[in-house]
């Protein structure tokens, strides 16, 4: 997790080893991160996922309402 501690956080990555997938480890990790961030009252927490949309949706993440406002510099 990267955050300025005031307005924004970015969940960089959640990695669960293949041998323990399907045991709720990912849910526990994301829940712990969300719990740690709650007291900060951040307006926005972003992440990028290729295949775990359902996991993150359980914690309130949704597609961007205005994706055209977002930009990226990819090297």
């Amino acid at each position: 997790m990267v955050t300025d501690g005031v307005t924004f956080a970015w969940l960089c990555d959640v990695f669960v080893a293949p041998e323990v997938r399907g045991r709720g480890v990912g849910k526990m990790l994301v829940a712990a991160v969300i719990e740690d961030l709650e007291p900060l009252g951040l307006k926005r927490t972003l992440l990028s996922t290729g295949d775990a949309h359902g996991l993150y949706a359980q914690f309130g993440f949704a597609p961007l309402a205005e994706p055209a406002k977002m930009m990226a510099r990819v090297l």
Side-chain angles (χ1 to χ4, degrees), residues 9-69:
W10 170 45
L11 180 56
C12 305
D13 202 357
V14 174
F15 179 80
V16 177
E19 62 270 15
V20 295
R21 290 182 185 159
R23 298 184 191 172
V25 175
K27 286 183 182 181
M28 288 188 294
L29 288 169
V30 176
V33 167
I34 297 299
E35 184 178 330
D36 283 349
L37 291 176
E38 283 297 320
L40 299 177
L42 303 175
K43 293 181 179 183
R44 186 172 293 109
T45 301
L46 296 178
L47 62 82
S48 177
T49 185
D51 61 0
H53 298 79
L55 168 64
Y56 296 116
Q58 295 174 52
F59 295 93
F61 287 90
L64 293 173
E66 299 180 75
K69 288 187 175 183

